[in-house]
Short mmCIF file of all heavy atoms in Angstrom, two decimals:
data_model
loop_
_atom_site.label_atom_id
_atom_site.label_comp_id
_atom_site.label_asym_id
_atom_site.label_seq_id
_atom_site.Cartn_x
_atom_site.Cartn_y
_atom_site.Cartn_z
N GLN B 1381 -3.03 -2.07 -18.66
CA GLN B 1381 -3.03 -2.78 -17.39
C GLN B 1381 -1.64 -3.28 -17.02
O GLN B 1381 -1.46 -3.98 -16.02
CB GLN B 1381 -4.04 -3.93 -17.41
CG GLN B 1381 -5.47 -3.43 -17.45
CD GLN B 1381 -6.48 -4.55 -17.54
OE1 GLN B 1381 -6.38 -5.45 -18.38
NE2 GLN B 1381 -7.48 -4.51 -16.68
N THR B 1382 -0.65 -2.92 -17.83
CA THR B 1382 0.75 -3.17 -17.46
C THR B 1382 1.06 -2.36 -16.21
O THR B 1382 0.91 -1.14 -16.20
CB THR B 1382 1.68 -2.77 -18.61
OG1 THR B 1382 1.49 -3.66 -19.70
CG2 THR B 1382 3.13 -2.81 -18.16
N SER B 1383 1.48 -3.05 -15.15
CA SER B 1383 1.66 -2.37 -13.87
C SER B 1383 2.25 -3.33 -12.85
O SER B 1383 2.39 -4.53 -13.10
CB SER B 1383 0.29 -1.86 -13.36
OG SER B 1383 0.44 -1.07 -12.20
N MET B 1384 2.56 -2.78 -11.67
CA MET B 1384 2.89 -3.61 -10.50
C MET B 1384 1.61 -3.78 -9.71
O MET B 1384 0.93 -2.80 -9.39
CB MET B 1384 3.95 -2.91 -9.64
CG MET B 1384 4.14 -3.53 -8.27
SD MET B 1384 5.05 -5.08 -8.34
CE MET B 1384 6.62 -4.52 -7.73
N TYR B 1385 1.29 -5.04 -9.38
CA TYR B 1385 0.08 -5.33 -8.61
C TYR B 1385 0.48 -5.82 -7.22
O TYR B 1385 1.29 -6.73 -7.07
CB TYR B 1385 -0.78 -6.37 -9.33
CG TYR B 1385 -1.42 -5.82 -10.58
CD1 TYR B 1385 -0.75 -5.84 -11.80
CD2 TYR B 1385 -2.68 -5.23 -10.52
CE1 TYR B 1385 -1.32 -5.29 -12.93
CE2 TYR B 1385 -3.26 -4.68 -11.65
CZ TYR B 1385 -2.58 -4.71 -12.85
OH TYR B 1385 -3.15 -4.17 -13.97
N LEU B 1386 -0.12 -5.20 -6.22
CA LEU B 1386 0.19 -5.53 -4.82
C LEU B 1386 -1.06 -6.02 -4.11
O LEU B 1386 -2.12 -5.40 -4.18
CB LEU B 1386 0.73 -4.30 -4.10
CG LEU B 1386 2.11 -3.82 -4.52
CD1 LEU B 1386 2.36 -2.40 -4.06
CD2 LEU B 1386 3.19 -4.74 -3.96
N CYS B 1387 -0.90 -7.13 -3.41
CA CYS B 1387 -1.96 -7.67 -2.57
C CYS B 1387 -1.63 -7.34 -1.12
O CYS B 1387 -0.45 -7.29 -0.74
CB CYS B 1387 -2.04 -9.18 -2.78
SG CYS B 1387 -3.22 -10.02 -1.70
N ALA B 1388 -2.65 -7.12 -0.29
CA ALA B 1388 -2.42 -6.84 1.12
C ALA B 1388 -3.53 -7.46 1.95
O ALA B 1388 -4.63 -7.71 1.46
CB ALA B 1388 -2.37 -5.32 1.37
N SER B 1389 -3.23 -7.70 3.22
CA SER B 1389 -4.27 -8.19 4.13
C SER B 1389 -4.08 -7.51 5.48
O SER B 1389 -3.01 -6.97 5.79
CB SER B 1389 -4.21 -9.71 4.28
OG SER B 1389 -3.10 -10.11 5.05
N THR B 1390 -5.16 -7.53 6.28
CA THR B 1390 -5.10 -6.94 7.60
C THR B 1390 -6.07 -7.63 8.55
O THR B 1390 -7.10 -8.15 8.12
CB THR B 1390 -5.40 -5.42 7.55
OG1 THR B 1390 -5.30 -4.87 8.87
CG2 THR B 1390 -6.82 -5.16 7.04
N MET B 1391 -5.72 -7.61 9.83
CA MET B 1391 -6.64 -8.12 10.85
C MET B 1391 -7.82 -7.18 11.00
O MET B 1391 -8.86 -7.56 11.50
CB MET B 1391 -5.91 -8.22 12.19
CG MET B 1391 -4.91 -9.34 12.26
SD MET B 1391 -4.21 -9.52 13.91
CE MET B 1391 -3.05 -8.17 13.93
N GLY B 1392 -7.58 -5.90 10.62
CA GLY B 1392 -8.65 -4.93 10.75
C GLY B 1392 -8.67 -4.25 12.10
O GLY B 1392 -9.65 -3.63 12.46
N ASP B 1393 -7.58 -4.37 12.87
CA ASP B 1393 -7.58 -3.75 14.19
C ASP B 1393 -6.54 -2.65 14.30
O ASP B 1393 -5.86 -2.51 15.29
CB ASP B 1393 -7.34 -4.81 15.27
CG ASP B 1393 -6.00 -5.50 15.08
OD1 ASP B 1393 -5.32 -5.24 14.09
OD2 ASP B 1393 -5.65 -6.32 15.95
N LEU B 1394 -6.42 -1.87 13.25
CA LEU B 1394 -5.57 -0.68 13.22
C LEU B 1394 -4.08 -0.98 13.21
O LEU B 1394 -3.26 -0.13 13.53
CB LEU B 1394 -5.89 0.25 14.41
CG LEU B 1394 -7.36 0.68 14.54
CD1 LEU B 1394 -7.53 1.62 15.72
CD2 LEU B 1394 -7.85 1.35 13.27
N TYR B 1395 -3.69 -2.21 12.83
CA TYR B 1395 -2.27 -2.51 12.72
C TYR B 1395 -1.74 -2.33 11.31
O TYR B 1395 -0.63 -2.73 11.01
CB TYR B 1395 -1.97 -3.93 13.20
CG TYR B 1395 -1.98 -4.02 14.71
CD1 TYR B 1395 -3.00 -4.68 15.38
CD2 TYR B 1395 -0.98 -3.43 15.45
CE1 TYR B 1395 -3.01 -4.76 16.75
CE2 TYR B 1395 -0.98 -3.49 16.83
CZ TYR B 1395 -1.99 -4.16 17.48
OH TYR B 1395 -1.99 -4.22 18.83
#
Side-chain angles (χ1 to χ4, degrees):
Chain B
Q1381 291 178 310
T1382 292
S1383 186
M1384 167 75 105
Y1385 290 87
L1386 290 163
C1387 175
S1389 72
T1390 182
M1391 288 185 283
D1393 60 355
L1394 305 181
Y1395 283 109

